[in-house]
Amino acid sequence: LPPTDEPVVVTAVDYGFEGLPEKVKAGTTLTLVNESMVELHELVAIRLPDDETRAADELVQLPPDELAAFFPLVETVIIAPPEQAGFPVEGVGVLDEPGRYLIICAIPTGANPDEYLAAAAATEGGPPDVAGGPPHLAMGMYAEVTVEG
């Protein structure tokens, strides 16, 4: 496991996360770099309840309202514009609580990055409503990370 004092640099690509370990120590900081030339990406880390046994593959297939039931458990959200480093918009990128985390990008496919960022800045709690296709997680941009104490 990487030491907790070294941030884990996660690279967002169309449509996946690279460099994201399966396990990290509690207190690990995640950072995000977006290598896409056109798509805005985000890293949303959701601490799953201890009694949740479904795999990430199953969870991302849930209807949007059922998946949204996990959104109050979001630990951190990092947004990265195309070809830029990301910045946290919720939390600070640190995974403190041991357990399983679902990592997703819920930005709509083809969304205008400037429009999305402006709408996100004006939206309280929850994703902004902007034009675009299915969320990136539907294109396979999700992962699971276990945080060990």
Side-chain angles (χ1 to χ4, degrees), residues 4 11 14 18 27 29-30 34 48-50 54 56 58 60-62 64 68 72-73 90 93 99 101 104 109 125 128:
T4 53
T11 302
D14 298 337
E18 296 178 351
T29 299
L30 301 180
N34 186 353
L48 296 172
D50 291 334
R54 291 173 289 185
E58 287 182 75
V60 299
Q61 300 297 324
L62 292 173
L73 306 173
E90 187 170 329
Y101 287 76
I104 63 171
T109 304

Coordinates of all heavy atoms in Angstrom, one line a residue, residues 4 11 14 18 27 29-30 34 48-50 54 56 58 60-62 64 68 72-73 90 93 99 101 104 109 125 128:
T4 N 0.7 6.9 3.4 CA -0.4 7.9 3.5 C 0.1 9.3 3.3 O -0.6 10.2 2.9 CB -1.1 7.9 4.8 OG1 -0.2 8.0 5.9 CG2 -2.0 6.6 4.9
T11 N -5.2 9.4 -12.8 CA -5.3 10.1 -14.2 C -6.7 9.7 -14.7 O -7.1 8.5 -14.8 CB -4.2 9.6 -15.1 OG1 -2.9 9.9 -14.5 CG2 -4.3 10.2 -16.5
D14 N -10.7 9.2 -21.2 CA -12.0 8.9 -21.7 C -12.1 7.4 -21.9 O -11.6 6.9 -22.8 CB -12.2 9.6 -23.0 CG -12.1 11.1 -22.9 OD1 -12.4 11.7 -21.8 OD2 -11.8 11.8 -23.9
E18 N -6.9 5.8 -14.3 CA -5.7 5.1 -14.3 C -4.9 5.5 -13.1 O -4.9 6.6 -12.6 CB -4.9 5.5 -15.6 CG -5.6 5.0 -16.8 CD -4.9 5.4 -18.1 OE1 -3.9 6.2 -18.1 OE2 -5.3 4.9 -19.2
G27 N -6.4 7.8 5.4 CA -5.6 9.1 5.4 C -5.0 9.4 4.1 O -4.3 10.4 3.9
T29 N -4.4 10.7 0.4 CA -5.0 11.8 -0.4 C -5.0 11.4 -1.9 O -3.9 10.9 -2.4 CB -4.1 13.1 -0.2 OG1 -4.2 13.5 1.2 CG2 -4.7 14.2 -1.1
L30 N -6.1 11.6 -2.5 CA -6.2 11.4 -4.0 C -6.1 12.7 -4.7 O -6.7 13.7 -4.2 CB -7.5 10.7 -4.3 CG -7.8 9.3 -3.7 CD1 -9.1 8.8 -4.2 CD2 -6.7 8.3 -4.0
N34 N -6.4 15.3 -15.5 CA -7.3 14.9 -16.6 C -6.5 14.9 -17.9 O -6.0 16.0 -18.3 CB -8.5 15.9 -16.7 CG -9.5 15.5 -17.8 OD1 -9.3 14.5 -18.6 ND2 -10.6 16.2 -17.9
L48 N -19.1 3.4 0.9 CA -20.3 2.5 0.9 C -20.6 2.0 2.3 O -19.6 1.9 3.1 CB -20.0 1.3 0.0 CG -19.8 1.7 -1.5 CD1 -19.3 0.4 -2.3 CD2 -21.1 2.2 -2.1
P49 N -21.8 1.8 2.6 CA -22.2 1.3 3.9 C -21.5 -0.1 4.1 O -21.3 -0.8 3.2 CB -23.7 1.1 3.9 CG -24.1 2.0 2.8 CD -23.0 2.1 1.8
D50 N -21.1 -0.4 5.4 CA -20.5 -1.6 5.7 C -21.3 -2.9 5.3 O -20.7 -3.9 4.9 CB -20.1 -1.7 7.2 CG -19.0 -0.7 7.5 OD1 -18.2 -0.4 6.7 OD2 -19.0 -0.3 8.7
R54 N -22.8 -5.5 -2.8 CA -22.7 -5.5 -4.2 C -21.4 -4.9 -4.7 O -20.9 -3.9 -4.2 CB -23.9 -4.7 -4.8 CG -25.3 -5.4 -4.6 CD -26.4 -4.6 -5.0 NE -26.6 -3.5 -4.1 CZ -27.6 -2.6 -4.1 NH1 -28.5 -2.7 -5.1 NH2 -27.7 -1.6 -3.3
A56 N -19.0 -2.9 -7.5 CA -19.1 -1.7 -8.3 C -19.8 -1.9 -9.6 O -20.7 -1.1 -10.0 CB -17.7 -1.1 -8.5
E58 N -22.2 -3.9 -10.2 CA -23.7 -3.9 -10.0 C -24.2 -2.6 -9.6 O -25.3 -2.2 -10.0 CB -24.0 -4.9 -8.8 CG -23.8 -6.4 -9.2 CD -24.2 -7.2 -8.0 OE1 -25.4 -7.4 -7.7 OE2 -23.3 -7.8 -7.3
V60 N -23.2 0.5 -10.3 CA -23.4 1.5 -11.4 C -24.5 1.1 -12.4 O -24.9 2.0 -13.2 CB -22.0 1.7 -12.2 CG1 -21.0 2.2 -11.2 CG2 -21.6 0.4 -12.9
Q61 N -25.1 -0.1 -12.3 CA -26.2 -0.5 -13.1 C -27.5 -0.1 -12.5 O -28.6 -0.2 -13.1 CB -26.2 -2.0 -13.4 CG -25.0 -2.5 -14.1 CD -24.8 -1.9 -15.5 OE1 -25.8 -1.7 -16.2 NE2 -23.6 -1.7 -15.9
L62 N -27.5 0.4 -11.2 CA -28.7 0.8 -10.5 C -29.4 2.0 -11.2 O -28.7 2.8 -11.9 CB -28.4 1.2 -9.1 CG -27.9 0.1 -8.1 CD1 -27.5 0.7 -6.8 CD2 -29.1 -0.9 -7.9
P64 N -30.8 5.6 -11.7 CA -30.2 6.8 -11.1 C -30.7 7.2 -9.7 O -29.9 7.6 -8.9 CB -30.6 7.9 -12.2 CG -30.8 7.2 -13.4 CD -31.3 5.8 -13.1
A68 N -28.4 7.4 -6.5 CA -28.4 8.7 -5.8 C -28.5 8.6 -4.3 O -28.1 9.5 -3.5 CB -29.4 9.7 -6.4
P72 N -25.4 11.0 -0.3 CA -25.0 11.6 1.0 C -23.8 11.1 1.6 O -23.2 11.7 2.5 CB -26.3 11.3 1.9 CG -27.4 11.1 0.9 CD -26.7 10.5 -0.3
L73 N -23.3 9.9 1.1 CA -22.1 9.3 1.6 C -20.8 9.7 0.9 O -19.7 9.2 1.1 CB -22.2 7.8 1.6 CG -23.5 7.2 2.2 CD1 -23.6 5.7 1.9 CD2 -23.5 7.5 3.7
E90 N -15.6 19.2 -3.1 CA -16.3 18.7 -1.9 C -15.2 17.9 -1.2 O -14.5 17.1 -1.8 CB -17.5 17.9 -2.2 CG -18.2 17.4 -1.0 CD -19.6 16.8 -1.3 OE1 -20.2 17.2 -2.3 OE2 -20.0 15.9 -0.5
G93 N -10.1 15.5 -0.8 CA -9.4 14.4 -1.5 C -8.8 13.4 -0.6 O -8.2 12.4 -1.1
G99 N -12.9 1.3 4.8 CA -14.1 0.6 4.2 C -14.0 0.6 2.7 O -12.9 0.9 2.1
Y101 N -15.0 2.0 -1.1 CA -15.5 3.2 -1.8 C -15.8 2.9 -3.2 O -15.0 2.2 -3.9 CB -14.3 4.3 -1.7 CG -14.1 4.9 -0.4 CD1 -13.5 4.2 0.7 CD2 -14.6 6.2 -0.1 CE1 -13.3 4.8 1.9 CE2 -14.4 6.8 1.2 CZ -13.8 6.0 2.2 OH -13.6 6.6 3.4
I104 N -16.6 7.2 -8.9 CA -17.3 7.4 -10.2 C -17.0 8.7 -10.8 O -16.6 9.7 -10.1 CB -18.9 7.2 -10.0 CG1 -19.4 8.3 -9.1 CG2 -19.2 5.8 -9.5 CD1 -20.9 8.4 -9.0
T109 N -21.7 12.7 -20.7 CA -20.8 12.6 -21.9 C -21.1 13.8 -22.8 O -22.2 14.1 -23.1 CB -21.1 11.3 -22.6 OG1 -20.9 10.2 -21.7 CG2 -20.2 11.1 -23.8
G125 N -25.6 21.3 -3.6 CA -25.9 19.9 -3.3 C -26.4 19.1 -4.5 O -27.5 19.3 -5.0
P128 N -25.0 19.4 -11.3 CA -25.8 20.4 -12.1 C -26.5 19.8 -13.2 O -26.1 18.7 -13.7 CB -24.7 21.4 -12.5 CG -23.4 20.6 -12.5 CD -23.6 19.6 -11.4

